[in-house]
């Protein structure tokens, strides 16, 4: 009989990561709670993604659960209070995806401001030979406001500075170690910004923090960039603002109800849309997956988690 701990794998992972998991654990996958119940009391660990997390009903069905390893930095889909009460360890892959996510924020900023996706479509359709293409806007000298100034927000600021952009940030508390100006009011930051970048954590505290009032403050020349969580934005208000040109455009890597996003987004020329791809590079996903596995191995070897949240 195998002495490997039983592990529930919520998300699919690359073959190399699954092979590492299978080397150390008895793997189980989940599709239906009723079908899963016969083995649920054996599961001691969970491997999951930041978007999927661990639904509370499933968490309640795992009485022997000791550790949750997240392949990402999001924990808004995990009941951390319950994990804390049950003394369940939670680890993320914090620090592994900072650069790629910051890069995506800049990619989306440039794509929206310079109309690269729209121009690509016009060139492919033959429009270039029939009409002059629209002028885009420079990013040099523009004001970028960053909501959320943790590792990712600070990495975005570092990159934006190289484009000669003026910077300010909103955060739950100021970062005195940073030379970037702190703004304690999100609405005031939006009023000041040409480009408002969202890099806040998900969860109830930030839900719909970018609402109609914030978008109105951003104004008809403003651009919204979201590489945080779809839950951070009131999507009905955003769609209305984009459709009515009350903001100039948006670059979105995340959405509510992804991947089944609101099809109204597909009709808009003033948006650039990505499929939650900010950390989706071969290099970063490999590092993330291996760190997730290493956290699980450390726990079951009786060692501290490498990158714990709890």
């Amino acid at each position: 009989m195998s002495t490997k701990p039983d592990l529930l794998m919520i998300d699919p992972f690359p073959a190399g990561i699954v092979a590492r998991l299978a080397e150390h654990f008895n793997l189980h996958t989940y599709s239906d709670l009723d079908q899963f119940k016969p083995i649920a009391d054996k599961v001691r660990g969970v491997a999951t993604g930041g978007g999927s997390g661990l639904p509370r009903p499933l968490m309640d069905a795992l009485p022997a659960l000791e550790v949750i390893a997240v392949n990402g930095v999001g924990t808004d889909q995990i009941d951390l209070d319950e994990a804390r009460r049950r003394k369940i360890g939670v680890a993320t892959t914090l620090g592994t995806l900072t650069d790629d996510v910051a890069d995506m924020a800049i990619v989306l900023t440039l794509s929206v401001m310079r109309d690269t996706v729209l121009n690509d479509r016009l060139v492919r359709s033959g429009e270039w030979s029939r009409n002059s293409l629209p002028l885009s806007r420079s990013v040099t000298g523009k004001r970028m406001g960053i909501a959320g100034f943790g590792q990712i927000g600070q990495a975005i600021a570092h990159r934006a500075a190289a484009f000669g952009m003026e910077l300010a940030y909103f955060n739950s508390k100021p970062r005195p170690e940073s030379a970037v100006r702190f703004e304690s009011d999100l609405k005031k930051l939006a009023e000041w910004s040409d480009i408002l970048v969202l890099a806040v954590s998900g969860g109830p505290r930030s839900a719909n923090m970018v609402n109609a009032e914030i978008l109105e403050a951003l104004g008809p020349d403003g651009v919204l960039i979201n590489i945080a969580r779809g839950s951070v934005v009131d999507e009905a208000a955003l769609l209305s603002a984009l459709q009515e040109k009350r903001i100039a455009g948006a670059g979105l890597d995340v959405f509510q109800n992804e991947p089944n996003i609101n099809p109204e987004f597909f009709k808009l020329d003033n948006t650039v849309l990505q499929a939650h791809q900010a950390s989706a590079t071969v290099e970063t996903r490999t590092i993330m997956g291996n760190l997730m596995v290493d956290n699980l191995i450390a726990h079951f070897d009786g060692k501290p988690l490498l990158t714990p949240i709890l």
Side-chain angles (χ1 to χ4, degrees), residues 209-232:
M209 66 184 291
V210 176
N211 53 22
E213 183 181 21
I214 299 301
L215 294 168
E216 192 70 25
L218 185 57
D221 294 322
V223 166
L224 182 73
I225 305 295
N226 190 5
I227 48 81
R229 280 286 187 266
S231 61
V232 173

Side-chain angles (χ1 to χ4, degrees), residues 8 10 30 33 36 40-41 43 46 52-68 75 77-90 310:
L8 173 60
I10 301 285
Y30 173 80
L33 186 56
F36 185 71
D41 61 352
V43 170
V46 166
S52 300
L54 181 61
R56 179 59 190 271
L58 181 53
M59 186 179 186
D60 290 343
L62 304 175
L65 185 61
E66 301 172 16
V67 62
I68 304 166
T75 57
Q77 298 302 314
I78 299 172
D79 189 333
L80 294 179
D81 290 335
E82 178 65 6
R84 189 177 292 109
R85 186 189 71 80
R86 291 176 54 184
K87 296 182 172 55
I88 297 168
V90 180
L310 291 179

